[in-house]
Every structure is written in C-alpha cells, then in structure tokens.
Amino acid sequence: MTDSATARSAPHRARCPRCGRGFDCGARTQPFDCWCASMPALPGGGTQPAAGARCRCPECLADEIAQRMTGAAG
Ligand SMILES: [Zn+2]
C-alpha cells in the first residue's frame, strides 16, 4: 500500500468518525467535487465541511440531515 500523491484533485479515502466506515471524500479537491455537494444543505450551515470538521459517510450525512430537518425533538 503506497500513498501516491499524484491524485491531488481526486477524492481520497476517508473514514467516517461516526460509524467507522471507509468512504471517498472529496472535501479537499480543487475545484470542490464531492458526492456531498449533491446532498441537501444542512439548515444553518452548508454541506461543505468547515476547517477542521470531519466528513461523514453518505449514510451518516443523510441521517444527520434528516435529523436536523425534523428538529432536535428526539
Ligand atoms: Zn458513517
């Protein structure tokens, strides 16, 4: 397993901090090109990760969006 630095603008393999699943993260691509860009924007924020934020896998991000949409009553 070698860490090639040739794919600078391609999504890299990340691990979800929530479920530990591996997924492709394009948060650091230039220009920004990630599957999360097609997800609904989080209320009061964006889907694009802020500096220092950890990206989530598609399932966990969708779950978080659903929870924020329905409110924190639960
Ligand atoms: Zn996850």
Side-chain angles (χ1 to χ4, degrees):
M1 284 211 222
T2 50
D3 212 75
S4 178
T6 52
R8 179 170 295 184
S9 61
H12 69 277
R13 204 68 181 162
R15 186 177 296 274
C16 178
R18 187 172 172 181
C19 69
R21 181 181 313 188
F23 66 100
D24 292 319
C25 180
R28 303 177 81 173
T29 53
Q30 293 291 337
F32 183 77
D33 181 24
C34 184
W35 54 264
C36 73
S38 61
M39 301 285 279
L42 287 171
T47 53
Q48 294 190 20
R54 296 292 299 274
C55 292
R56 286 163 170 72
C57 72
E59 281 193 21
C60 287
L61 181 58
D63 188 55
E64 185 164 314
I65 289 173
Q67 285 189 16
R68 294 210 193 180
M69 292 245 185
T70 54

